[in-house]
Each structure stands twice: as structure tokens, then as C-alpha cells.
């Protein structure tokens, strides 16, 4: 799997590997801890697909063009009309412009965290970091939206409640909620003909007989006196359930079906795009269709300090085409009303184009795409000033954004959770959703 680096030139493991899967030939135990509880009584059966554009996509070159600004600000691309009169996007967003009636664009979220690590944390948790955080930091001072969704909603049916594909966000973890609410990471490429999800099927070198044999070995070990006594506090006992669930997941027809994108109409796969991101979008749709409440697509490569316009020319046509196909497919299947689709990064980019034909970090303004889950389409929420320097109308915070996501998932954003030590913690310090997005 290719790894995309941001300006800090740092990479990290996607998630903690507990190393407890040797008896079944894989590392599933941590992933099974991501299986949520039963859905809250009365909660809406809604899901979220978060398309995370890691690095911070430019608001100028996406949804907030400034055609009347000087050339060193407005950049290379023109502003284009969309399917909604008066609503304009930047030229690279041609396909999304054609379905603007289904989209809401928020142009006025701002914050004060201009580094990747801090900005990522703020936007995916709704909580600013407690200490200064550098660009390369992987920090967790508060549970991420995906982990909260897993904790509060669960998936049921034997599937994990929170997926992150192909890697985990740097602040996408569960913090005090515990490892069981960490994301299940699917690192393999669904565009590959050999795509298979680790731990959902037995490893290639383990046939069914060998898998059954390893389970039989565990069953015999369980009859040892130490296990039979079920001594209080024995940490090994706590793992038994997860091993059992691991075998169940490998044998689950629902899990096998959810990951088998080969059953999709080849023409639909073509619409999504025969590339890694396009097929990940299709996989995300299949997962929410199977009842998973939160799926993150972690798509790096948007830290355009250099050659921004070449980068957009090369990548954006296929990228925004896949997002368009996802939204249209959800709509045609009657799923868009119950699936929230988001596309954003940690911040926007600087107004003035730098000497390397790029833009740098800028947290005073950013654009967020929102679709589905009852969101009124064909609207722009808020605005930046005439040159895109800062949010100037209907100024909103990451807290408002995260509160909106929770509200749409049927989770009370004002809920208080308790840490293992008993300390009360608000999900969001300001639980006010963005009213224009609530319908």
C-alpha cells in the first residue's frame, strides 16, 4: 500500500496491533474490540461516510473560488456555475457541480490550529488539543467521531462498528472509551483483483482444517485448571470472547458479502472509478448498507505547499468523480436520506500563492462538503471575505461541525461521558449543531 506523506515527512502505524491473533493466523483481537453495542433505543438508523482529505485541501480550488481577487490569490482555475443558480464551485469540481442540488457547502468554519496534528484532532473530535501539537503528531485527547459512533450506536450483525480505510486518522482513536472502539482498518486495495480483508477470511496459508485445528487447540487449553477456575482478574479470560467472535466473523456470511465488491455490476464499479479511492468509496457504501454506522476514508495527498495546480489537474478529476458516484448511488438506492457524506480536511490554504506554486496551511477558512441524512441540498452556509482570508459570515467552529454529525447520527452532542477514573467529559463543549444542515 502506498503511503502518502504530508509536509512533516512522518509516517506511523495505522493502529495499535495487540499481537494476540497467532492462534488464528491474524491480528483480529483489537479490531473485534471495535464492535459496538446494540443501537440506542429510538436512535435513527443513520450512518456516516467521512472522506478525510488529509493535508488540508484548498478552499479556493474546491468550493470557495474568488474570481474577482488578484491573480496571486484567485489562482489558475475559473469559477464555474453549478446546477443551482448562483452557487459556484472551482473549475476542478465539475462533476460535483452537476449535483449541487444534493450538496450543502459550509464555507465558514474556522479555528486556530494551523498544524496537521492539531487541526486533525480538532476537526475529528470537536475538541482542541490540550497542549501545543506539532504537524507530525498523532494525538488523542478526546474520542473521535467514529469511536463515539461505535460506542453509542454499534453495528450489530457481527460487523465492527467503525471502519477506517486504508489507514487510521492520526486522531481517529477512542481515547478513554477504550480499545474496543478503535477502528477496524482495511489496508488492502479493493481495486486489486486479489483484494481480501485480513481476518475476515482465513489467511491464505491456513485452510479450513488448520483453522479448526487451531480453535480445537484453544478449546483444549481452556480446560486447564487456570481457565476452568475462571479466577477473577485473569486477563486471559477477557480475550476468550474476542477469539470466539473472530471465528464467527471469519464464518459470517454477512461479513463476506459486505466485503465482496466483485458482486457489484461492473458498470457501477466503472462509475465509481477503477482506482483505489473509487473502489474504497464503493466498499464504504456496502459497509453502511450492511449496518455499519461510521466509515472513514483516509485520503492523503492534499498538503499542497508546492505545485498545487498540477496536483489538482492530476488527481481531482477521478477523485471528485468517485464522490459524485457515491452520492448518486446512495440516492438511487434510497440510502442518501440515512447516510451522511462528508468531505473535508483539517484546514484550508493560504490566500496568496507561494513561490513554489502552492498554498500553505490556513485555519482561518475552510470548506466542507455535506450531503445526505436529511441535509437540505443546494445551499451554501456562511461565507469568507472577498479574498478568502477568513470566515466572515455565519462563523462556525469545529464544535458546531462535530455536534451536527452527532445529531444526525442520533447521538446527543451534549451527552456527558465518564472516563475510567470517573471524570465527566462532554462529547462536545458547544453542542450546537449547524441549523442550516439539520433540515
Amino acid at each position: 500500500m502506498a503511503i502518502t506523506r504530508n509536509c512533516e515527512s512522518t509516517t506511523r502505524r495505522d493502529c495499535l496491533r495487540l499481537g494476540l491473533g497467532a492462534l488464528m493466523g491474524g491480528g483480529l483481537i483489537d479490531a473485534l474490540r471495535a464492535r459496538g453495542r446494540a443501537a440506542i433505543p429510538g436512535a435513527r438508523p443513520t450512518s456516516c461516510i467521512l472522506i478525510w482529505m488529509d493535508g488540508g485541501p484548498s478552499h479556493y480550488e474546491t468550493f470557495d473560488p474568488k474570481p474577482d481577487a488578484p491573480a496571486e490569490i484567485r489562482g489558475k482555475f475559473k469559477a464555474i456555475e453549478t446546477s443551482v443558480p448562483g452557487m459556484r464551485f472551482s473549475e476542478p469540481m465539475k462533476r460535483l457541480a452537476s449535483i449541487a442540488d444534493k450538496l450543502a457547502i459550509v464555507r465558514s468554519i474556522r479555528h486556530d490550529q494551523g498544524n496537521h496534528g492539531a487541526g486533525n484532532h480538532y476537526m475529528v473530535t470537536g475538541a482542541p488539543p490540550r497542549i501545543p501539537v506539532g504537524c507530525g503528531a498523532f494525538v488523542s485527547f478526546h474520542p473521535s467521531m467514529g469511536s463515539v459512533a461505535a460506542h453509542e450506536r454499534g453495528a450489530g450483525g457481527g460487523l465492527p462498528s467503525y471502519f477506517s480505510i486504508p489507514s487510521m486518522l492520526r486522531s481517529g482513536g477512542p481515547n478513554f472509551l477504550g480499545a474496543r472502539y478503535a477502528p477496524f482498518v482495511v489496508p488492502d486495495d479493493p481495486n486489486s483483483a486479489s483484494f481480501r480483508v485480513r481476518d475476515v477470511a482465513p489467511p491464505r496459508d491456513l485452510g479450513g482444517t488448520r483453522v479448526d485445528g487451531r480453535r480445537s487447540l484453544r478449546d483444549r487449553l481452556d480446560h486447564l485448571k487456570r481457565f476452568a477456575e475462571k479466577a477473577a482478574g485473569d486477563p486471559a479470560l477477557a480475550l476468550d470472547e474476542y477469539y470466539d467472535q473472530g471465528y464467527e466473523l471469519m464464518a459470517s456470511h454477512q461479513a463476506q458479502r459486505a466485503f465482496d465488491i466483485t458482486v457489484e455490476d461492473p458498470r457501477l464499479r466503472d462509475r465509481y472509478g477503477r482506482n483505489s479511492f473509487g473502489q474504497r468509496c464503493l466498499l464504504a457504501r456496502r459497509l453502511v448498507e450492511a449496518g455499519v454506522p461510521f466509515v472513514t476514508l483516509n485520503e492523503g495527498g492534499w498538503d499542497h505547499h508546492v505545485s498545487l495546480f498540477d496536483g489538482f489537474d492530476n488527481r481531482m478529476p477521478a477523485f471528485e468523480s468517485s464522490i459524485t458516484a457515491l452520492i448518486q448511488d446512495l440516492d438511487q438506492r434510497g440510502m442518501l436520506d440515512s447516510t451522511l457524506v462528508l468531505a473535508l480536511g483539517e484546514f484550508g490554504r493560504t490566500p496568496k500563492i507561494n513561490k513554489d506554486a502552492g498554498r500553505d496551511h490556513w485555519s482561518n477558512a475552510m470548506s466542507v462538503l455535506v450531503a445526505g441524512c436529511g441535509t437540505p441540498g443546494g445551499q451554501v452556509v456562511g461565507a469568507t471575505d472577498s479574498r478568502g482570508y477568513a470566515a466572515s459570515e455565519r462563523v462556525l467552529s469545529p464544535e458546531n461541525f462535530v455536534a451536527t454529525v452527532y445529531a444526525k447520527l442520533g447521538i446527543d452532542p451534549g451527552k456527558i461521558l465518564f472516563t475510567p477514573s470517573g471524570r465527566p467529559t462532554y462529547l462536545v463543549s458547544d453542542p450546537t449543531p449547524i441549523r442550516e444542515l439539520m433540515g
Side-chain angles (χ1 to χ4, degrees):
M1 178 186 67
I3 298 175
T4 303
R5 300 172 185 266
N6 283 333
C7 62
E8 74 277 4
S9 296
T10 302
T11 62
R12 176 185 168 99
R13 290 181 182 176
D14 298 322
C15 62
L16 179 64
R17 306 293 188 200
L18 298 185
L20 297 170
L23 286 176
M24 50 189 282
L28 181 61
I29 304 307
D30 55 327
L32 285 168
R33 295 181 186 274
R35 296 174 71 172
R37 303 174 302 182
I40 300 171
R44 296 172 60 196
T46 50
S47 299
C48 178
I49 298 174
L50 168 61
I51 300 168
W52 182 257
M53 300 171 69
D54 193 67
S58 169
H59 53 296
Y60 293 92
E61 279 69 44
T62 53
F63 301 110
D64 195 6
K66 298 297 179 182
D68 298 325
E72 65 271 18
I73 293 175
R74 71 172 181 266
K76 165 185 171 180
F77 300 123
K78 301 175 182 177
I80 60 172
E81 299 296 330
T82 70
S83 62
V84 178
M87 187 176 179
R88 295 199 291 178
F89 294 168
S90 185
E91 190 176 4
M93 316 305 289
K94 292 182 177 69
R95 293 166 184 80
L96 285 169
S98 71
I99 62 164
D101 59 304
K102 302 184 187 305
L103 312 178
I105 303 299
V106 184
R107 290 177 175 166
S108 57
I109 294 175
R110 68 163 307 278
H111 57 80
D112 57 359
Q113 305 293 330
N115 288 325
H116 293 297
N120 184 301
H121 189 279
Y122 206 174
M123 292 303 300
V124 302
T125 69
R130 298 173 186 168
I131 59 175
V133 173
C135 270
F138 283 69
V139 295
S140 178
F141 300 110
H142 196 78
S144 66
M145 291 185 289
S147 293
V148 170
H151 181 270
E152 295 294 310
R153 290 283 309 277
L159 281 166
S161 308
Y162 170 27
F163 283 78
S164 195
I165 308 169
S167 57
M168 190 175 84
L169 301 185
R170 65 184 72 208
S171 295
N175 191 257
F176 64 79
L177 294 179
R180 72 177 63 185
Y181 302 113
F184 178 42
V185 175
V186 181
D188 299 308
D189 184 357
N191 192 47
S192 169
S194 59
F195 172 65
R196 68 201 305 269
V197 177
R198 177 183 53 81
D199 299 329
V200 173
R204 294 184 187 280
D205 60 345
L206 288 182
T209 301
R210 292 182 67 191
V211 170
D212 291 341
R214 292 188 179 197
R215 186 171 193 179
S216 176
L217 173 60
R218 278 195 52 82
D219 289 342
R220 291 197 297 272
L221 289 173
D222 285 347
H223 285 88
L224 293 176
K225 188 176 190 301
R226 187 174 74 88
F227 286 87
E229 289 177 347
K230 297 190 180 297
D234 187 340
L237 297 177
L239 299 176
D240 287 351
E241 176 186 358
Y242 298 112
Y243 279 113
D244 289 340
Q245 291 171 351
Y247 291 109
E248 291 171 6
L249 185 55
M250 284 195 293
S252 166
H253 294 299
Q254 181 186 15
Q256 300 294 335
R257 286 195 303 270
F259 288 111
D260 187 7
I261 63 173
T262 64
V263 301
E264 296 285 348
D265 186 330
R267 292 170 296 180
L268 179 64
R269 295 190 67 182
D270 291 342
R271 281 175 50 201
Y272 271 89
R274 295 287 185 152
N275 55 73
S276 298
F277 175 64
Q279 299 305 294
R280 285 196 284 264
C281 284
L282 177 55
L283 178 58
R285 191 224 78 204
R286 292 183 62 81
L287 290 172
V288 299
E289 196 170 27
V292 175
F294 207 98
V295 180
T296 295
L297 302 180
N298 187 16
E299 296 296 320
W302 301 99
D303 193 26
H304 287 119
H305 292 280
V306 301
S307 303
L308 182 153
F309 305 106
D310 290 342
F312 266 67
D313 280 336
N314 292 333
R315 186 175 187 186
M316 188 55 81
F319 189 82
E320 62 114 24
S321 179
S322 296
I323 299 175
T324 303
L326 171 64
I327 293 170
Q328 290 176 322
D329 190 21
L330 289 168
D331 191 33
Q332 290 164 3
R333 292 172 183 271
M335 295 173 59
L336 188 58
D337 191 53
S338 61
T339 307
L340 180 66
V341 179
L342 306 166
L344 69 149
E346 53 265 50
F347 37 59
R349 310 302 291 191
T350 49
K352 190 173 181 179
I353 299 166
N354 65 29
K355 63 180 179 57
D356 298 312
R359 299 185 192 268
D360 302 313
H361 304 175
W362 193 253
S363 61
N364 284 321
M366 62 186 299
S367 291
V368 175
L369 178 151
V370 184
C373 212
T375 302
Q379 64 165 328
V380 173
V381 179
T384 55
D385 61 72
S386 61
R387 297 192 176 188
Y389 276 77
S392 59
E393 297 178 17
R394 188 75 171 97
V395 179
L396 297 162
S397 68
E399 288 89 345
N400 299 136
F401 167 70
V402 173
T404 303
V405 176
Y406 287 149
K408 285 183 171 290
L409 291 177
I411 299 168
D412 178 8
K415 184 173 183 175
I416 297 175
L417 299 178
F418 292 88
T419 68
S421 64
R423 179 174 60 87
T425 301
Y426 281 101
L427 274 185
V428 188
S429 60
D430 178 1
T432 307
I434 302 170
R435 62 177 182 272
E436 295 91 338
L437 303 181
M438 296 307 297

